[in-house]
Amino acid sequence: MTTSAAVFEEIYDRSKEVKDFDDSKLGVKGLLDSGITSIPRFFFHPPESLPSITIPSQLISNIEIPTVDLSHIDTDHRTFIVDQINEASCTWGFFQVINHKVPLDVLNRALLSIKAFNEQSNEVKSQYYCRENDRGMTFASNFDLFQSKAASWRDTLQMGMDRTDFDKVPEIVRSELFELDQHVKRLGETLMEILCEGLGVDEDRLKNMACSERRHLAGHYYPYCPEANRTVGTKCHTDPSVFTVLLQDHIGGLQVKHGEHWVDVKPLDGALVINIGDILQIMSNDKYRSVEHRVVANSVHEPRISVAIFFNPGNLEIMYGPLPELITPPQKSAIYKQFTLEDFIMKFRAKGLDGKSSLVNYFLL
């Protein structure tokens, strides 16, 4: 290391920079509004992990995740739809659904409300900026800001839909997000039936485990990044959920790991993206796959907006694990051990989005 580089390293205090950023309650949108042309160093990611410089052979542009039309789900076409979703869940872990009965205006108003919230003045937004999970609702930049090795270029409004006081949610997003949640809950219950049919278990199995009761909503705002080649929008991760329903706008940026390659999830007007989470991979005893995905930093002068609703079981204390119906020793033994949802959530929050799956904590030796 040269003398000048050594001096630079010595005077750089990452923990102070991170704390100052968080204390400002500006988020990345506030940094951008301040007129910066370069991003703070704690947003820098190792060059080898950056999507923008991934070697071309690792990014596939001519294939797409499966798209499933749900318009005939209540007809004799249902078996075909079940087979499509089963195949996608086994091989991709991701698929898009169209004709899902969530009104287009509900989707659009939800996206616009997240955009409007983030584009309020810093004085207004800072009232909601906090990291206290027990409040039911938080607004912050990077939930794992203090334990991550590098931050991501996004701000997020989060709320537990089963435990957030409606009247305490900012009015600018209140009705839009709760309306979206109710429609998505109904869609989620339909998807649970289909996923159960694909697994060969009773169609109400996941519903009876209250897997639609504990829903967590995250509204992400990815503003333009002046150095998009040095950071990411969201780091590579798998979801700690049963499954996730994602609404994304027209900007794009979501990428899914398929084998050894990354595939762009191209926005499809009116579609919702569904992905299998870690908990369902465990419940299915590895039949369904929870796969790595990421979001590239936004390089266009227009914000990218997305809203994700994560479905989780409602009981924090009972034991979960591979469904007994799927275990037939010695031909098919359980791959994972039992766990409580409380333990699962605690371990995920402790590690943050570190690029490692939560599944490693639950393998049977």
Side-chain angles (χ1 to χ4, degrees):
M1 182 182 292
T2 65
T3 302
S4 59
V7 170
F8 181 68
E9 288 293 332
E10 186 176 317
I11 63 173
Y12 175 65
D13 187 341
R14 183 184 188 279
S15 61
K16 183 179 185 303
E17 270 205 15
V18 170
K19 185 177 185 305
D20 288 347
F21 167 72
D22 198 53
D23 287 346
S24 75
K25 300 184 178 182
L26 292 175
V28 295
K29 174 64 164 59
L31 286 180
L32 184 66
D33 290 345
S34 72
I36 64 167
T37 56
S38 60
I39 63 177
R41 186 175 168 185
F42 62 87
F43 285 100
F44 292 3
H45 284 250
E48 65 274 10
S49 70
L50 290 167
S52 58
I53 61 170
T54 298
I55 58 174
S57 63
Q58 288 184 329
L59 181 64
I60 301 178
S61 59
N62 61 348
I63 64 171
E64 300 179 7
I65 68 170
T67 298
V68 181
D69 186 342
L70 298 181
S71 59
H72 300 293
I73 192 63
D74 296 320
T75 71
D76 55 8
H77 198 63
R78 183 182 181 93
T79 301
F80 177 67
I81 295 173
V82 170
D83 288 344
Q84 282 184 299
I85 289 180
N86 180 63
E87 177 68 15
S89 300
C90 292
T91 57
W92 279 88
F94 267 80
F95 55 95
Q96 298 202 70
V97 292
I98 58 174
N99 295 318
H100 41 63
K101 297 183 180 178
V102 182
L104 185 60
D105 70 304
V106 170
L107 302 179
N108 289 337
R109 284 190 286 108
L111 291 172
L112 288 172
S113 73
I114 293 295
K115 183 175 187 291
F117 172 84
N118 282 274
E119 294 179 355
Q120 297 176 106
S121 69
N122 291 325
E123 290 74 20
V124 173
K125 285 190 299 182
S126 64
Q127 301 174 51
Y128 300 100
Y129 195 99
C130 71
R131 297 186 180 277
E132 300 169 17
N133 290 315
D134 58 352
R135 289 180 56 172
M137 184 196 75
T138 63
F139 169 63
S141 184
N142 291 254
F143 79 93
D144 58 348
L145 179 67
F146 288 95
Q147 69 258 46
S148 66
K149 293 181 179 179
S152 299
W153 194 256
R154 74 171 189 281
D155 296 328
T156 304
L157 179 70
Q158 301 189 69
M159 63 184 78
M161 304 310 294
D162 59 311
R163 57 195 183 279
T164 298
D165 186 338
F166 179 85
D167 293 330
K168 292 183 179 179
V169 175
E171 186 175 359
I172 199 168
V173 299
R174 188 184 301 158
S175 61
E176 291 82 359
L177 296 186
F178 276 90
E179 185 177 15
L180 174 69
D181 174 65
Q182 288 307 301
H183 282 283
V184 169
K185 180 185 178 184
R186 289 191 286 272
L187 170 62
E189 289 172 346
T190 297
L191 291 171
M192 284 192 292
E193 292 179 359
I194 296 171
L195 290 164
C196 283
E197 290 178 48
L199 289 173
V201 302
D202 184 88
E203 69 172 24
D204 291 328
R205 190 68 165 90
L206 293 176
K207 182 179 180 180
N208 291 339
M209 295 173 72
C211 287
S212 67
E213 296 310 308
R214 192 176 181 87
R215 298 179 311 286
H216 186 83
L217 181 147
H220 298 304
Y221 184 91
Y222 302 86
Y224 165 72
C225 181
E227 290 187 288
N229 62 332
R230 306 194 78 166
T231 191
V232 298
T234 299
K235 287 168 282 189
C236 173
H237 68 287
T238 59
D239 284 357
S241 60
V242 175
F243 60 82
T244 304
V245 178
L246 173 72
L247 165 63
Q248 63 169 348
D249 68 7
H250 62 287
I251 299 294
L254 174 63
Q255 295 181 337
V256 171
K257 190 79 174 288
H258 186 56
E260 296 303 313
H261 303 281
W262 287 97
V263 176
D264 288 316
V265 180
K266 298 173 183 176
L268 183 61
D269 190 36
L272 290 166
V273 179
I274 315 297
N275 66 279
I276 304 300
D278 295 338
I279 294 177
L280 188 51
Q281 177 163 336
I282 292 174
M283 287 178 169
S284 72
N285 206 37
D286 261 4
K287 180 175 180 180
Y288 290 162
R289 312 297 294 180
S290 176
V291 303
E292 296 173 348
H293 50 288
R294 65 190 183 190
V295 178
V296 301
N298 184 11
S299 60
V300 301
H301 289 268
E302 180 182 356
R304 176 187 188 265
I305 316 293
S306 70
V307 183
I309 297 181
F310 305 88
F311 282 70
N312 284 302
N315 194 319
L316 288 174
E317 299 174 354
I318 68 172
M319 302 300 291
Y320 297 94
L323 298 177
E325 305 95 304
L326 304 179
I327 308 303
T328 55
Q331 295 88 352
K332 188 65 175 176
S333 299
I335 297 171
Y336 301 96
K337 59 187 176 182
Q338 301 280 313
F339 62 92
T340 65
L341 189 62
E342 185 174 30
D343 176 74
F344 191 91
I345 293 171
M346 181 182 68
K347 283 186 169 65
F348 175 77
R349 286 179 177 166
K351 80 179 189 65
L353 299 184
D354 60 355
K356 298 175 184 177
S357 169
S358 298
L359 297 174
V360 296
N361 296 314
Y362 301 99
F363 283 119
L364 282 169
L365 300 178

